[in-house]
Every structure is written in C-alpha cells, then in structure tokens.
Amino acid sequence: MDRRLIPANERVAALHLKGKVEAEQYLKGAARQVTASEANLLRAPGGKRDRQLLMGERVTAYEDRAGYAFVQAARDGYVGYVDSLAIGPAQSMTHWIASRSTHIYSTANFKSPETGTLSFGCEVCARSQAENFVEIGDGQFLPLQHLLEIGEGLQDMVSVAEMFLGTPYLWGGNSGTGIDCSGLLQAACLACGIPCPRDSDQQEAQLGKELPKETPLERGDLVFWKGHVGLMLDGEILLHANAHHMVVAVEPLTEAISRISAKEFGDVTAVKRL
C-alpha cells in the first residue's frame, strides 16, 4: 500500500479500490492530459513536489477541488495533486521532444520570435509540416530536428542521460530545466522503451539484476544508495544528478562513493545491470 501509487484520499478513491480502502466515493476517473509545458505533482494541495508532469502526459483525474485535481499518472502510476489549469481533455499526440529542450516559434522560421520552450519527453500534436518545422496549433511551430514520432525511441540510455549534463539539480524535477537523480534515470529508460518507476527505491527494487561484488562495471550499470542513483558512463565514471554539484555531472565512482558514504546516503546498497 505505497501511498505514491494508491489513487485514494479521504474523499475519493479509484473504483478498483472499493473494499480495500475507505472513501466517500469510488470513481472510475476521467482521462485527462497535461497541457502545461510542465506541472508539479504535489503530495498535497499546495504541498511538497513529488515529481513533475510534462506536456502530453496522460493522467486519470478522480477529483477537482479548490483549484487542484487529484490524479494518477499513466506513465508510472504516481499519485498526487496538480493545478487544475495544467490539465485538459485527452487527445492523440503525434510526436515527442527528443532533445534536452526546444523552442516554440511564432512562425516556421528559426529567426522568428520564440514564444516558449518544451522539455525532453514532452508530447505534442502536429497539425501540419512546413519544411523543417511542424505546426502544433495556434500558430506555434517546433523544429522537426528535435522531434521523434510517438512510438519511436532512442537506443542508448546513457547517451540520453548525457544530454542532461549541466542541467540544474531540482528535487522532484523531470525536465530539461531541472531534474533529480531518479528523474534522470527514468527519462533515460523511458526514452529507450524501458519501463521505469519514478523514485530511486522503486527503481532499485524493479530494475535489472544485481551484480556480485567485484564484478567489473560497464556502461549503463546502475549504482544505488539509499535515496540516490547514478548511471555508469563507463567502467569507472559515474553520471548522476546530485545536490553536491547541483547539476547533472560526471565524476569517478570511487570519489562519489567516498563522499556520499561520508556525508549523504551511506554505503552503496546495490549495483545492477539492465
């Protein structure tokens, strides 16, 4: 009964939870979609951010009350509260952003004024294509070079994670403007078609096979601490979003283990290979 994954509060609960949790109403929920470029998924209305939702993400909404919708994200099952204005009716999306971020342009011309940005992983609906741009509605355009079609993935999760080098660390962040350790791993996995939960404890429990001690490490191996995770860039270098550097950074694994053991999350809890 992980509260992060149970769509229930004191007033409403998902219909399939009837008889398992107490609530005033049991509802099927309504299909909705994130319409903001990014939106915070909160533990309680106006409370702490657990993670972010990105444009195009599907959610099931169970309640809309006092400006907040109580939702469950389709991508990883995470439950929380989101600004009601950040979601809308669900629609079919055609493309997703496969670069760290991209600009939205007012015309199909890279010299035209930009009107906003979208992060890696956002999904959009392309209405038409003009040369190297796609129109996403309301006279807004995205460069085709930054897009892949829905269903088309990337091949190397470490290369995906490398795109985020230098991105500011943000607790609960999932975007190219701010990301945390488990958000980085999730973004890299999902882009390569690998199902991945959101938080590092869930990732440690569900991803890969644990390696015996003294196994030589390889590119893509995962190193876990209690509350932290990083990816191996090669046999010696760790890539991770971390609060010590306050960015996505690389450093020798031996140095990271020494520092983290002394000051932050204790000893390594697992090393795993997908």
Side-chain angles (χ1 to χ4, degrees):
M1 296 295 287
D2 188 337
R3 67 98 191 153
R4 295 170 293 184
L5 305 176
I6 303 300
N9 59 28
E10 63 273 19
R11 294 175 299 277
V12 299
L15 188 61
H16 69 269
L17 293 175
K18 192 171 185 179
K20 299 178 181 179
V21 301
E22 292 187 8
E24 296 174 7
Q25 296 184 74
Y26 298 91
L27 305 171
K28 183 179 179 181
R32 295 289 183 266
Q33 193 167 50
V34 178
T35 54
S37 58
E38 55 193 58
N40 291 327
L41 187 66
L42 307 176
R43 189 168 299 185
K48 177 183 177 181
R49 175 180 58 237
D50 274 331
R51 81 167 184 82
Q52 291 176 314
L53 301 168
L54 300 178
M55 177 179 283
E57 272 199 67
R58 296 294 184 100
V59 300
T60 301
Y62 293 98
E63 180 184 51
D64 194 329
R65 184 172 183 264
Y68 289 94
F70 179 61
V71 304
Q72 183 171 36
R75 180 171 290 179
D76 53 23
Y78 222 109
V79 169
Y81 295 84
V82 65
D83 188 327
S84 299
L85 298 178
I87 61 173
Q91 63 172 316
S92 296
M93 299 308 222
T94 61
H95 294 77
W96 65 280
I97 311 301
S99 60
R100 175 170 151 181
S101 63
T102 189
H103 292 301
I104 305 170
Y105 291 92
S106 55
T107 67
N109 187 321
F110 67 87
K111 294 183 180 180
S112 64
E114 71 277 10
T115 60
T117 60
L118 294 178
S119 172
F120 182 92
C122 287
E123 297 181 359
V124 297
C125 180
R127 303 180 185 278
S128 63
Q129 182 175 336
E131 296 183 357
N132 289 325
F133 285 82
V134 297
E135 183 179 4
I136 60 171
D138 299 326
Q140 299 185 93
F141 293 84
L142 295 175
L144 187 61
Q145 296 94 325
H146 292 170
L147 304 177
L148 288 177
E149 293 185 4
I150 297 293
E152 185 178 359
L154 300 173
Q155 300 299 316
D156 181 8
M157 57 181 287
V158 179
S159 293
V160 175
E162 285 184 283
M163 284 197 294
F164 286 85
L165 282 170
T167 300
Y169 179 85
L170 181 69
W171 175 267
N174 278 80
S175 76
T177 58
I179 201 163
D180 66 10
C181 64
S182 53
L184 179 66
L185 177 56
Q186 186 187 51
C189 285
L190 294 180
C192 297
I194 302 169
C196 183
R198 175 56 179 82
D199 291 343
S200 61
D201 64 317
Q202 300 168 321
Q203 294 166 351
E204 181 176 350
Q206 297 180 37
L207 294 180
K209 295 182 179 181
E210 188 162 1
L211 297 177
K213 290 184 178 180
E214 310 306 326
T215 301
L217 299 187
E218 299 177 358
R219 180 179 174 88
D221 287 345
L222 309 178
V223 183
F224 289 95
W225 291 261
K226 185 177 180 179
H228 189 59
V229 62
L231 300 85
M232 295 304 296
L233 188 63
D234 54 31
E236 298 180 352
I237 302 299
L238 182 74
L239 188 160
H240 59 151
N242 66 92
H244 175 76
H245 296 98
M246 284 306 292
V247 295
V248 178
V250 294
E251 62 178 317
L253 177 61
T254 54
E255 293 183 11
I257 288 175
S258 178
R259 185 188 71 253
I260 291 172
S261 175
K263 295 184 178 180
E264 300 175 81
F265 302 107
D267 296 330
V268 170
T269 56
V271 179
K272 307 190 78 173
R273 182 169 295 165
L274 294 177

